Amino acid sequence: MSRLHLPVDPAVTDPGGPLLVTPVGGFAVATDGMLAAADRLRALEARLHDDERRAAAADAIHPGVPVPELRAALDRVRGRCADLREAIARAAAEYGETERVVSAVQHELGARLATLLGPILHSAVILAPGPLLALALAGRWYLSDDERAAAIERFVVEHPELVSSPEFVRNVSILATSVDDLQPSILGVPIGPRGGAEASALALLGTAGLVGLMREGHVRTDRVGTIAGGSAPVGVRERFDRIPEGDQVRIERYDAPGMPPRFTVYIGPTETFSPHADREPWDLTSNVAGVAGLSPGSLRAVEQAMADAGVAPGHEVQVIGYSQGGLIATLVAASGDWNVVGVETHGAPTGGIRLPDGLSGMAIRNTDDFIPALGGPQLDDHLLQVEREAFAGDAALPEQLVPAHQRVAYERTADAVDAAASSVVREQVRALDTFGADYLERGGTLTVTTYHSERVDGFTKS
Amino acid sequence: MTTASDPLRAALERQLVLLAPVAEHLAEIPADPLGPALAEWRGPAADAAACRGQELRSGWAEASRAATDAVARLRAHLAALP
């Protein structure tokens, strides 16, 4: 609690920590620096192998000067390179395994605590309805809904440290996977098989629906404008900067002579956190429905925009999104309905969504941002995971709502990913960079269309 | 006209062509492949890696000395030839 709270200054030196990288297909977690060191060692080993071949050839020349000491010394130093590289790999594997075990134990404890806590709350509801009702009514009487929301927001903004630590984020992840245990336990019904964040989100939707909240409706998506020309983005930061807000979807169509078109779909973040489903599909309802694995309004809106832009099932597509946009991008990739070849998400709650093999790109998260944790722990391993603490160590926290989830925090993290030195990160950045640039270099064209979507019926207005 | 030292000179020159780049390589590349990675890494595994890094540096210096010695010996032999 001793951290300083300062006004937001985008020009401030990057307060973020080192990049943590989990390659595709594994749970080993290494820093980008460690992976870059492993890359350098691998290159040194290759060079030393070449040196050894030269020394062996020289040693075999007769008459000449024998050089067995040099050959032995080269063999030893190459062995030490390999030892060091393996030590780095072991450290990464140990760290990843420790994280995995700690996370599994904490989630299991969370589920057990939820089932234990449920009967206590259940008894409280039965035995003490009067005091509970009085408390609830008192809260409603003293403060209106808007005043309560404003008071909570003001409190959180003034105390950013409460929601900005990796420990808090871990607790959110545990809570996100335990709601489905807590809810039936409170109601006094038997616990079914646990289903993690997806089941928790479903349980939340079910409960909210009973009181008229979070009810989905139909969406209509309209073109806002189309512009021809421009360049393909270079790097993570340029892609992040193209993610729209307000008008929620931007689609870039790349055409090249004799080639099928390619599309990059940029999907914006949540526009409102109101639990009342309203005209805005980029809302809390879509967030919860997305984590539940349903078909949120914002997903249907994106698919309407894609169809309007001319995306056919066989066309290659990249999906890029921030926050809810990242959730929807991941759902589009996981649906199997589109030929998604690349995904890049920033701060998205996608841990439980199963992705197909062979995707380029990465999921980027700040470890002190609890929004991604609402999707539960990271279970899928088909996409490179890149994380870092947005405000590391004693870095001053700005007075903002969830500072580590703010756009400026992810801008800095995008810059850090662009500056990554490890081949595992750079290869993925390059793969996304070349997607549109390849077509433009062949004399192709770029057309950008922006879309706005609204719910039109079916939802319940409060 | 050839002399008895011609095959030896050719052999030594061939060895020098092979080994001079090895000596240059070992002298040029700094033996600090971990770079700044250790600064962002803590714990027993980091300590073990730091230890391995130190062993690599000493091994590198040993290999560099061996390569430099070999090249120096070759040059000395060549200079001593008639």
Side-chain angles (χ1 to χ4, degrees):
Chain A
M1 303 292 172
S2 60
R3 285 177 156 191
L4 291 170
H5 301 165
L6 298 174
V8 181
D9 178 5
V12 75
T13 310
D14 181 12
L19 291 178
L20 294 170
V21 181
T22 308
V24 170
F27 287 94
V29 182
T31 65
D32 175 67
M34 289 162 71
L35 291 171
D39 288 343
R40 285 194 294 275
L41 288 165
R42 208 172 284 112
L44 282 182
E45 282 174 62
R47 187 77 190 271
L48 287 166
H49 183 69
D50 188 45
D51 288 346
E52 278 187 274
R53 284 196 299 107
R54 284 176 162 270
D59 204 31
I61 292 173
H62 296 288
V65 176
V67 287
E69 309 84 6
L70 174 58
R71 292 181 65 187
L74 284 169
D75 184 58
R76 274 195 299 277
V77 74
R78 189 161 68 90
R80 287 175 185 179
C81 267
D83 286 349
L84 181 51
R85 189 165 51 76
E86 282 162 20
I88 292 171
R90 265 198 308 278
E94 282 170 16
Y95 180 83
E97 180 62 13
T98 304
E99 281 286 292
R100 199 182 63 76
V101 169
V102 167
S103 176
V105 168
Q106 287 182 328
H107 281 86
E108 182 61 27
L109 286 174
R112 284 173 189 265
L113 187 62
T115 55
L116 288 172
L117 203 56
I120 296 168
L121 295 174
H122 177 66
S123 303
V125 170
I126 291 171
L127 298 174
L132 286 173
L133 189 62
L135 278 172
L137 289 174
R140 285 198 75 82
W141 185 67
Y142 277 118
L143 296 170
S144 69
D145 281 355
D146 288 347
E147 285 171 332
R148 258 202 313 277
I152 291 169
E153 182 172 332
R154 198 166 50 248
F155 181 80
V156 174
V157 166
E158 288 170 358
H159 299 85
E161 74 279 1
L162 296 178
V163 295
S164 300
S165 72
E167 294 75 27
F168 177 77
V169 171
R170 200 187 289 276
N171 290 332
V172 169
S173 175
I174 292 165
L175 182 67
T177 53
S178 303
V179 169
D180 62 320
D181 295 304
L182 180 62
Q183 201 175 42
S185 181
I186 291 174
L187 298 173
V189 299
I191 307 283
R194 282 196 292 276
E198 188 176 320
S200 292
L202 272 173
L204 184 59
L205 275 179
T207 308
L210 292 175
V211 291
L213 301 175
M214 296 190 192
R215 289 190 177 167
E216 270 291 1
H218 297 105
V219 294
R220 191 190 68 224
T221 305
D222 296 313
R223 271 190 216 189
V224 176
T226 299
I227 301 168
S231 58
V234 179
V236 177
R237 174 61 187 274
E238 283 194 25
R239 278 187 289 279
F240 184 73
D241 286 345
R242 293 187 183 197
I243 295 173
E245 296 205 27
D247 296 326
Q248 309 100 330
V249 184
R250 167 193 171 104
I251 298 184
E252 295 178 348
R253 177 184 171 128
Y254 294 89
D255 288 285
M259 302 295 289
R262 285 178 171 175
F263 299 86
T264 301
V265 181
Y266 299 87
I267 310 168
T270 305
E271 295 284 344
T272 172
F273 284 94
S274 168
H276 298 284
D278 204 335
R279 295 199 172 280
E280 174 56 71
W282 265 253
D283 64 351
L284 190 61
T285 303
S286 282
N287 276 325
V288 178
V291 172
L294 302 178
S295 179
S298 51
L299 171 61
R300 284 175 279 127
V302 167
E303 294 190 318
Q304 287 174 1
M306 290 170 71
D308 181 80
V311 186
H315 292 150
E316 290 187 340
V317 179
Q318 276 190 348
V319 280
I320 318 289
Y322 163 44
S323 190
Q324 181 175 151
L327 170 63
I328 301 305
T330 307
L331 288 172
V332 169
S335 72
D337 296 335
W338 309 92
N339 182 22
V340 175
V341 296
V343 178
E344 190 172 85
T345 64
H346 304 256
T350 58
I353 301 172
R354 295 281 173 198
L355 284 168
D357 286 327
L359 290 171
S360 300
M362 65 191 79
I364 299 166
R365 288 184 296 273
N366 290 333
T367 56
D368 41 356
D369 169 15
F370 75 82
I371 301 293
L374 294 170
Q378 186 61 40
L379 300 176
D380 184 76
D381 64 354
H382 291 91
L383 196 62
L384 179 71
Q385 308 290 312
V386 181
E387 302 173 292
R388 73 166 195 161
E389 203 173 347
F391 298 93
D394 294 326
L397 286 166
E399 288 198 355
Q400 290 174 320
L401 194 62
V402 197
H405 190 67
Q406 295 298 318
R407 198 151 184 139
V408 66
Y410 276 100
E411 285 171 356
R412 290 193 195 113
T413 298
D415 288 339
V417 179
D418 280 332
S422 63
S423 59
V424 68
V425 175
R426 297 190 68 79
E427 280 167 13
Q428 296 307 316
V429 174
R430 201 177 307 118
L432 296 181
D433 284 355
T434 55
F435 181 75
D438 273 358
Y439 269 32
L440 298 185
E441 282 166 13
R442 294 181 202 182
T445 58
L446 167 60
T447 310
V448 182
T449 307
T450 309
Y451 292 89
H452 187 86
S453 184
E454 287 191 351
R455 281 202 191 89
V456 287
D457 60 53
F459 59 90
T460 305
K461 176 75 180 81
S462 62
Chain B
M1 190 177 100
T2 58
T3 67
S5 66
D6 283 347
L8 180 59
R9 179 183 296 278
L12 294 175
E13 284 176 345
R14 176 71 184 135
Q15 283 189 304
L16 192 58
V17 165
L18 285 165
L19 295 181
V22 176
E24 282 171 21
H25 165 228
L26 292 172
E28 279 175 10
I29 297 183
D32 187 18
L34 279 177
L38 269 183
E40 58 194 34
W41 190 15
R42 296 279 179 273
D47 296 341
C51 188
R52 296 277 175 281
Q54 191 58 46
E55 288 173 5
L56 172 59
R57 275 188 287 277
S58 64
W60 191 282
E62 182 194 346
S64 180
R65 273 194 304 275
T68 305
D69 286 352
V71 168
R73 274 189 291 144
L74 285 169
R75 287 193 171 128
H77 279 299
L78 280 166
L81 288 176

